Amino acid sequence: MRTFISIKLSKEAIEEIKNIQKQLEKENLFIGKFTEPENLHLTLKFLGEIDEEKISEVKRRLKDIKIDKFNVRFVSFGIFSKKMPRIIWIKLNGKSIFELQKQVDEKLKDL
């Protein structure tokens, strides 16, 4: 199963991303299909193809992570491939999100 660790985005964040998508489309800066709002997320760690047994292990390891609610700001965005843009990334500013990502990496480092 293709797996990643992610965070659901707030309604406000999704609206801002939809605005970015509209602007990119309006200016013909992106060719392709934009991600549907219900599928937008913040990826903390991409795990790739893993089996059900490993998924159970990932869940077990991550359940200990505790972090308070936090806010982040969109800083900028870009693309992963200049030849054929398929994925648009958004750079965030916020110490807590990076702390959470660090904790996820630490819990899964030897998996």
Side-chain angles (χ1 to χ4, degrees):
M1 178 183 312
R2 185 178 165 100
T3 311
F4 55 92
I5 310 302
S6 67
I7 295 176
K8 278 180 68 172
L9 299 173
S10 68
K11 290 177 186 175
E12 296 83 8
I14 290 172
E15 286 304 313
E16 186 61 29
I17 292 170
K18 286 170 45 180
N19 289 335
I20 292 169
Q21 289 176 333
K22 286 177 192 173
Q23 190 66 30
L24 290 170
E25 185 174 45
K26 179 180 172 184
E27 296 183 22
N28 293 319
L29 295 174
F30 184 79
I31 299 171
K33 179 181 169 286
F34 288 111
T35 302
E36 298 82 5
E38 62 272 12
N39 292 329
L40 291 169
H41 62 274
L42 174 60
T43 301
L44 295 174
K45 185 166 190 69
F46 180 71
L47 302 174
E49 293 289 331
I50 62 174
D51 60 32
E52 285 290 329
E53 188 177 307
K54 280 237 167 102
I55 290 173
S56 296
E57 178 65 14
V58 167
K59 287 179 180 180
R60 187 187 67 73
R61 290 180 182 206
L62 296 180
K63 74 178 180 179
D64 296 346
I65 295 177
K66 305 285 188 253
I67 192 160
D68 292 331
K69 185 175 178 178
F70 57 86
N71 292 310
V72 295
R73 301 189 94 160
F74 291 162
V75 177
S76 63
F77 64 92
I79 57 175
F80 281 127
S81 170
K82 295 195 189 285
K83 280 186 178 179
M84 181 181 286
R86 294 191 55 200
I87 298 175
I88 300 170
W89 54 263
I90 296 174
K91 181 178 179 182
L92 302 175
N93 183 7
K95 186 177 179 182
S96 294
I97 190 68
F98 298 112
E99 178 58 34
L100 177 58
Q101 187 174 35
K102 184 178 169 184
Q103 287 184 47
V104 169
D105 283 342
E106 182 62 30
K107 294 283 187 182
L108 301 178
K109 69 181 175 186
D110 63 340
L111 190 62

